[in-house]
Amino acid sequence: SITLNIRNEPLSNVKVREALSYAMDRQALIDTINFGVGTVAKTFRPPDSLYFNTNLEGWPFDLEKAKALMAEAGYADGFKVTAQIVTGNESSLQLGTLLKDMWSKINVELVIEPMESGLWNQSYYDNKFEIQFNYWSDDIPDPSQSVNYSVVYSTAESFHTGFQNDEVDQLAADALKTPDGPEREAMYFRIQEIFNENIPFIPTFHNPFLVACLLYTSPS
């Protein structure tokens, strides 16, 4: 995912965030970075996960829509923004290079800033960044873990984006106390809807979860 610090302009403007998302060709990212393996993200939760909202369209690549959103936001002439990446991380460099080209079509100049990993991590925790590239892997099948880290401010400042939403906070808290079933599903569906309306960070694509097994056959 593309983590945005939405505390300051221009990234605090939701139309700008929408424009960046629509200007991104996610399938091209999958084909180039991941050798064609992966699924285009339509929200922050992965498909086939518990309570994934199948009703969401996501942000299909639409350059004209992105340009219109930039104009509505007052940034038709674009702006410059910096993405911090870890030095030597080839996939992050590839992502940054591709985004630099894609976002240039809406007059956004992406500056790629390589950093030592310790400094990169500290910048993340201190909220001293504009854009960083991150990823998430669930440790448990229940959606509460990723939801609370990603969009609940009190947990980790919503992935350190700075996103705060009272309805999301309440839904996430209520969902922790609600048994599995339609009522709980509706809560997580609504959380994903609110996420997509606000885009505090930009989901890119989901990797399949791979498990490698070593088989040993004893000699006969």
PDB file of all heavy atoms in Angstrom, residues 4 27 30 33 35 80 91 97 107 114 137 144 161 164 172 186 204 208 210-211 218:
ATOM      1  N   LEU A   4       0.016   7.506   3.041  1.00  0.00           N
ATOM      2  CA  LEU A   4      -0.001   8.954   2.855  1.00  0.00           C
ATOM      3  C   LEU A   4      -0.092   9.643   4.201  1.00  0.00           C
ATOM      4  O   LEU A   4      -0.895   9.248   5.047  1.00  0.00           O
ATOM      5  CB  LEU A   4      -1.208   9.367   2.001  1.00  0.00           C
ATOM      6  CG  LEU A   4      -1.431   8.620   0.687  1.00  0.00           C
ATOM      7  CD1 LEU A   4      -2.750   9.057   0.062  1.00  0.00           C
ATOM      8  CD2 LEU A   4      -0.272   8.868  -0.275  1.00  0.00           C
ATOM      9  N   GLN A  27      -3.039  -2.949 -12.417  1.00  0.00           N
ATOM     10  CA  GLN A  27      -2.679  -4.170 -13.137  1.00  0.00           C
ATOM     11  C   GLN A  27      -1.283  -4.052 -13.726  1.00  0.00           C
ATOM     12  O   GLN A  27      -0.526  -5.035 -13.740  1.00  0.00           O
ATOM     13  CB  GLN A  27      -3.690  -4.458 -14.245  1.00  0.00           C
ATOM     14  CG  GLN A  27      -3.503  -5.825 -14.901  1.00  0.00           C
ATOM     15  CD  GLN A  27      -3.591  -6.972 -13.908  1.00  0.00           C
ATOM     16  OE1 GLN A  27      -4.548  -7.087 -13.149  1.00  0.00           O
ATOM     17  NE2 GLN A  27      -2.576  -7.837 -13.893  1.00  0.00           N
ATOM     18  N   ILE A  30       1.116  -4.850 -10.979  1.00  0.00           N
ATOM     19  CA  ILE A  30       1.187  -6.295 -10.756  1.00  0.00           C
ATOM     20  C   ILE A  30       2.047  -6.959 -11.821  1.00  0.00           C
ATOM     21  O   ILE A  30       2.921  -7.788 -11.527  1.00  0.00           O
ATOM     22  CB  ILE A  30      -0.230  -6.912 -10.746  1.00  0.00           C
ATOM     23  CG1 ILE A  30      -1.028  -6.421  -9.533  1.00  0.00           C
ATOM     24  CG2 ILE A  30      -0.157  -8.440 -10.752  1.00  0.00           C
ATOM     25  CD1 ILE A  30      -2.490  -6.800  -9.553  1.00  0.00           C
ATOM     26  N   ILE A  33       5.943  -5.401 -11.359  1.00  0.00           N
ATOM     27  CA  ILE A  33       6.645  -5.629 -10.091  1.00  0.00           C
ATOM     28  C   ILE A  33       6.529  -7.069  -9.639  1.00  0.00           C
ATOM     29  O   ILE A  33       7.462  -7.646  -9.095  1.00  0.00           O
ATOM     30  CB  ILE A  33       6.087  -4.692  -8.995  1.00  0.00           C
ATOM     31  CG1 ILE A  33       6.285  -3.228  -9.391  1.00  0.00           C
ATOM     32  CG2 ILE A  33       6.735  -4.976  -7.645  1.00  0.00           C
ATOM     33  CD1 ILE A  33       5.579  -2.251  -8.461  1.00  0.00           C
ATOM     34  N   PHE A  35       5.427  -9.847 -11.516  1.00  0.00           N
ATOM     35  CA  PHE A  35       5.417 -10.861 -12.569  1.00  0.00           C
ATOM     36  C   PHE A  35       4.018 -11.391 -12.859  1.00  0.00           C
ATOM     37  O   PHE A  35       3.829 -12.575 -13.150  1.00  0.00           O
ATOM     38  CB  PHE A  35       6.364 -12.013 -12.215  1.00  0.00           C
ATOM     39  CG  PHE A  35       7.772 -11.582 -11.928  1.00  0.00           C
ATOM     40  CD1 PHE A  35       8.223 -11.437 -10.624  1.00  0.00           C
ATOM     41  CD2 PHE A  35       8.649 -11.276 -12.964  1.00  0.00           C
ATOM     42  CE1 PHE A  35       9.512 -11.012 -10.359  1.00  0.00           C
ATOM     43  CE2 PHE A  35       9.950 -10.848 -12.700  1.00  0.00           C
ATOM     44  CZ  PHE A  35      10.383 -10.718 -11.400  1.00  0.00           C
ATOM     45  N   LYS A  80       4.453  18.863  -6.190  1.00  0.00           N
ATOM     46  CA  LYS A  80       5.583  17.957  -5.973  1.00  0.00           C
ATOM     47  C   LYS A  80       5.390  17.250  -4.632  1.00  0.00           C
ATOM     48  O   LYS A  80       4.988  17.874  -3.646  1.00  0.00           O
ATOM     49  CB  LYS A  80       6.900  18.724  -5.969  1.00  0.00           C
ATOM     50  CG  LYS A  80       8.146  17.848  -5.782  1.00  0.00           C
ATOM     51  CD  LYS A  80       9.405  18.685  -5.619  1.00  0.00           C
ATOM     52  CE  LYS A  80       9.771  19.386  -6.907  1.00  0.00           C
ATOM     53  NZ  LYS A  80      11.092  20.077  -6.792  1.00  0.00           N
ATOM     54  N   SER A  91      11.863  -3.596  -5.067  1.00  0.00           N
ATOM     55  CA  SER A  91      10.431  -3.507  -5.381  1.00  0.00           C
ATOM     56  C   SER A  91       9.893  -2.111  -5.087  1.00  0.00           C
ATOM     57  O   SER A  91       9.056  -1.586  -5.838  1.00  0.00           O
ATOM     58  CB  SER A  91       9.633  -4.563  -4.607  1.00  0.00           C
ATOM     59  OG  SER A  91       9.762  -4.378  -3.210  1.00  0.00           O
ATOM     60  N   THR A  97       9.280   4.272  -9.311  1.00  0.00           N
ATOM     61  CA  THR A  97       9.572   4.641 -10.697  1.00  0.00           C
ATOM     62  C   THR A  97       8.313   4.595 -11.556  1.00  0.00           C
ATOM     63  O   THR A  97       8.068   5.484 -12.383  1.00  0.00           O
ATOM     64  CB  THR A  97      10.647   3.708 -11.280  1.00  0.00           C
ATOM     65  OG1 THR A  97      11.826   3.782 -10.464  1.00  0.00           O
ATOM     66  CG2 THR A  97      11.002   4.101 -12.703  1.00  0.00           C
ATOM     67  N   ASN A 107       0.171  15.773 -13.620  1.00  0.00           N
ATOM     68  CA  ASN A 107       1.040  16.883 -13.201  1.00  0.00           C
ATOM     69  C   ASN A 107       1.539  16.766 -11.760  1.00  0.00           C
ATOM     70  O   ASN A 107       1.850  17.767 -11.121  1.00  0.00           O
ATOM     71  CB  ASN A 107       0.332  18.231 -13.392  1.00  0.00           C
ATOM     72  CG  ASN A 107       0.010  18.507 -14.842  1.00  0.00           C
ATOM     73  OD1 ASN A 107       0.803  18.209 -15.735  1.00  0.00           O
ATOM     74  ND2 ASN A 107      -1.167  19.067 -15.085  1.00  0.00           N
ATOM     75  N   PRO A 114      15.610   7.714  -1.306  1.00  0.00           N
ATOM     76  CA  PRO A 114      16.111   6.513  -0.628  1.00  0.00           C
ATOM     77  C   PRO A 114      16.657   6.867   0.756  1.00  0.00           C
ATOM     78  O   PRO A 114      17.310   7.898   0.931  1.00  0.00           O
ATOM     79  CB  PRO A 114      17.222   6.012  -1.554  1.00  0.00           C
ATOM     80  CG  PRO A 114      17.017   6.725  -2.855  1.00  0.00           C
ATOM     81  CD  PRO A 114      16.414   8.047  -2.487  1.00  0.00           C
ATOM     82  N   SER A 137       0.335  -7.932   6.306  1.00  0.00           N
ATOM     83  CA  SER A 137       0.010  -9.348   6.247  1.00  0.00           C
ATOM     84  C   SER A 137      -0.702  -9.720   7.543  1.00  0.00           C
ATOM     85  O   SER A 137      -0.174  -9.486   8.635  1.00  0.00           O
ATOM     86  CB  SER A 137       1.290 -10.182   6.083  1.00  0.00           C
ATOM     87  OG  SER A 137       0.983 -11.554   6.038  1.00  0.00           O
ATOM     88  N   SER A 144     -10.365  -7.840  12.602  1.00  0.00           N
ATOM     89  CA  SER A 144     -10.170  -6.821  13.641  1.00  0.00           C
ATOM     90  C   SER A 144      -8.732  -6.319  13.702  1.00  0.00           C
ATOM     91  O   SER A 144      -8.487  -5.137  13.960  1.00  0.00           O
ATOM     92  CB  SER A 144     -10.587  -7.367  15.007  1.00  0.00           C
ATOM     93  OG  SER A 144      -9.857  -8.533  15.346  1.00  0.00           O
ATOM     94  N   THR A 161      -1.191   7.475   9.042  1.00  0.00           N
ATOM     95  CA  THR A 161      -1.697   8.427   8.042  1.00  0.00           C
ATOM     96  C   THR A 161      -2.249   9.689   8.703  1.00  0.00           C
ATOM     97  O   THR A 161      -2.310  10.743   8.069  1.00  0.00           O
ATOM     98  CB  THR A 161      -2.821   7.800   7.212  1.00  0.00           C
ATOM     99  OG1 THR A 161      -3.917   7.447   8.079  1.00  0.00           O
ATOM    100  CG2 THR A 161      -2.331   6.560   6.471  1.00  0.00           C
ATOM    101  N   GLN A 164      -8.668  10.136  11.058  1.00  0.00           N
ATOM    102  CA  GLN A 164      -9.534  10.012  12.226  1.00  0.00           C
ATOM    103  C   GLN A 164     -10.987  10.087  11.785  1.00  0.00           C
ATOM    104  O   GLN A 164     -11.386  11.020  11.084  1.00  0.00           O
ATOM    105  CB  GLN A 164      -9.259  11.130  13.233  1.00  0.00           C
ATOM    106  CG  GLN A 164      -7.894  11.049  13.899  1.00  0.00           C
ATOM    107  CD  GLN A 164      -7.683  12.180  14.891  1.00  0.00           C
ATOM    108  OE1 GLN A 164      -7.270  13.287  14.536  1.00  0.00           O
ATOM    109  NE2 GLN A 164      -7.976  11.909  16.142  1.00  0.00           N
ATOM    110  N   ALA A 172     -15.501  -0.157  14.826  1.00  0.00           N
ATOM    111  CA  ALA A 172     -14.411  -1.095  15.122  1.00  0.00           C
ATOM    112  C   ALA A 172     -14.496  -1.593  16.560  1.00  0.00           C
ATOM    113  O   ALA A 172     -14.273  -2.780  16.836  1.00  0.00           O
ATOM    114  CB  ALA A 172     -13.066  -0.438  14.860  1.00  0.00           C
ATOM    115  N   ALA A 186     -21.952  -6.442   8.663  1.00  0.00           N
ATOM    116  CA  ALA A 186     -22.398  -5.107   8.249  1.00  0.00           C
ATOM    117  C   ALA A 186     -21.470  -4.020   8.791  1.00  0.00           C
ATOM    118  O   ALA A 186     -21.221  -3.011   8.122  1.00  0.00           O
ATOM    119  CB  ALA A 186     -23.827  -4.866   8.706  1.00  0.00           C
ATOM    120  N   THR A 204      -2.729  -0.981  -3.271  1.00  0.00           N
ATOM    121  CA  THR A 204      -2.224  -1.242  -4.616  1.00  0.00           C
ATOM    122  C   THR A 204      -2.702  -2.606  -5.111  1.00  0.00           C
ATOM    123  O   THR A 204      -3.599  -2.688  -5.941  1.00  0.00           O
ATOM    124  CB  THR A 204      -0.694  -1.178  -4.644  1.00  0.00           C
ATOM    125  OG1 THR A 204      -0.150  -2.017  -3.601  1.00  0.00           O
ATOM    126  CG2 THR A 204      -0.212   0.256  -4.429  1.00  0.00           C
ATOM    127  N   PRO A 208      -1.056 -13.334  -3.211  1.00  0.00           N
ATOM    128  CA  PRO A 208      -1.602 -14.582  -2.652  1.00  0.00           C
ATOM    129  C   PRO A 208      -0.744 -15.023  -1.484  1.00  0.00           C
ATOM    130  O   PRO A 208       0.459 -14.764  -1.445  1.00  0.00           O
ATOM    131  CB  PRO A 208      -1.528 -15.565  -3.824  1.00  0.00           C
ATOM    132  CG  PRO A 208      -0.446 -15.023  -4.702  1.00  0.00           C
ATOM    133  CD  PRO A 208      -0.507 -13.522  -4.556  1.00  0.00           C
ATOM    134  N   LEU A 210       1.264 -17.587   0.224  1.00  0.00           N
ATOM    135  CA  LEU A 210       1.941 -18.818  -0.181  1.00  0.00           C
ATOM    136  C   LEU A 210       2.486 -19.562   1.032  1.00  0.00           C
ATOM    137  O   LEU A 210       3.040 -18.958   1.943  1.00  0.00           O
ATOM    138  CB  LEU A 210       3.089 -18.497  -1.145  1.00  0.00           C
ATOM    139  CG  LEU A 210       2.713 -17.739  -2.424  1.00  0.00           C
ATOM    140  CD1 LEU A 210       3.969 -17.449  -3.235  1.00  0.00           C
ATOM    141  CD2 LEU A 210       1.718 -18.526  -3.249  1.00  0.00           C
ATOM    142  N   VAL A 211       2.325 -20.855   1.011  1.00  0.00           N
ATOM    143  CA  VAL A 211       2.875 -21.707   2.067  1.00  0.00           C
ATOM    144  C   VAL A 211       3.762 -22.758   1.418  1.00  0.00           C
ATOM    145  O   VAL A 211       3.327 -23.492   0.530  1.00  0.00           O
ATOM    146  CB  VAL A 211       1.753 -22.394   2.879  1.00  0.00           C
ATOM    147  CG1 VAL A 211       2.361 -23.322   3.925  1.00  0.00           C
ATOM    148  CG2 VAL A 211       0.836 -21.365   3.526  1.00  0.00           C
ATOM    149  N   SER A 218      11.226 -41.069   3.956  1.00  0.00           N
ATOM    150  CA  SER A 218      12.270 -41.911   4.527  1.00  0.00           C
ATOM    151  C   SER A 218      12.686 -42.969   3.519  1.00  0.00           C
ATOM    152  O   SER A 218      11.868 -43.453   2.741  1.00  0.00           O
ATOM    153  CB  SER A 218      11.778 -42.567   5.808  1.00  0.00           C
ATOM    154  OG  SER A 218      10.643 -43.359   5.557  1.00  0.00           O
TER     155      SER A 218
END
